[in-house]
Amino acid sequence: MAEAVIASEEDIRAGLSQHLTRLWRYGVVLSRQRDVADDLVQATCVRALERAAQFASGTRLDRWLFAILHSIWLNEVRSRRVRMGQGFVDADETLVFDGARQTETHILAGQVLQRVQALPEAQRTAVFLAYVEGLSYREVADVLDVPIGTVMSRLAAARAKLAEGMGMAADGKSSGGERLGNGNE
């Protein structure tokens, strides 16, 4: 989906509100803490407005905002010397259900989210940007400021870990040998 060209600080200010939820989700993925995610989003908004003149017309505002948030997070990690694994967000807190908590789908979603949260930060971030936010590998590489091959490697490693954790081989077969799918392969 192409985004309209952003030309001024007012346009950026208006565009920020459209992306707050997505920025917050990314902040939760990075920090694993809701209050830290709130702070990251606020800092991202402030920095975006302060540096509105640096926004390149014709580029997508959401990608620029993700890159700003990621940069702020890295600065925060460096300044606090945060160790991986602190501030785990419970799957039950993150997933919001409409009263059908006990359904098999929601149980599986909780298990997947827990496994994603257990991934190393680099893999978790790549998974979120590519599979939740729908960014292309090139866009993920740009946001994270890494080569596209690194993104591909992180995603492959994450898929293998998730498949292993869910009792599947990396080729999509369950540990019992039968192929998982809808039967239409």
Side-chain angles (χ1 to χ4, degrees), residues 3 12 18 23 25 47 59 75 78 84 90 105 115 125 132 154 170 174:
E3 192 165 298
I12 289 175
Q18 297 173 7
L23 289 170
R25 278 193 319 238
R47 187 169 295 170
T59 60
N75 291 340
R78 288 181 193 120
M84 250 178 37
D90 238 5
T105 302
R115 298 215 184 273
T125 301
V132 176
R154 288 176 183 176
S174 73

Side-chain angles (χ1 to χ4, degrees), residues 7 9 16 18-19 29 33 50 55 59 76 86 89 93 95 100 118 124 126 132 134 151 156 160 165 179 183 185:
E9 181 179 332
L16 279 172
Q18 297 173 7
H19 301 294
V29 166
Q33 297 177 330
E50 289 173 346
F55 181 76
T59 60
E76 184 73 19
Q86 292 178 338
V89 174
E93 290 179 33
L95 293 174
R124 189 176 68 246
V132 176
V151 170
R179 176 131 175 104
E185 291 83 33

Side-chain angles (χ1 to χ4, degrees), residues 11 20 38 46 63 71 73 81 96 102 167-168 185:
D11 292 334
L20 290 177
D38 291 339
V46 169
R63 306 317 187 235
S71 174
W73 171 248
R81 296 190 176 125
V96 178
Q102 304 305 319
M168 296 171 57
E185 291 83 33

Side-chain angles (χ1 to χ4, degrees), residues 1-79:
M1 165 173 94
E3 192 165 298
V5 174
I6 305 293
S8 68
E9 181 179 332
E10 290 78 31
D11 292 334
I12 289 175
R13 189 178 305 271
L16 279 172
S17 63
Q18 297 173 7
H19 301 294
L20 290 177
T21 301
R22 293 174 67 205
L23 289 170
W24 184 81
R25 278 193 319 238
Y26 187 41
V28 170
V29 166
L30 291 174
S31 69
R32 299 180 179 191
Q33 297 177 330
R34 291 170 177 256
D35 59 329
V36 173
D38 291 339
D39 294 342
L40 285 170
V41 171
Q42 182 176 4
T44 299
C45 292
V46 169
R47 187 169 295 170
L49 292 171
E50 289 173 346
R51 299 182 181 177
Q54 294 176 359
F55 181 76
S57 291
T59 60
R60 292 188 50 173
L61 179 62
D62 58 345
R63 306 317 187 235
W64 186 61
L65 294 171
F66 281 135
I68 291 172
L69 190 141
H70 186 78
S71 174
I72 292 169
W73 171 248
L74 291 179
N75 291 340
E76 184 73 19
V77 168
R78 288 181 193 120
S79 69

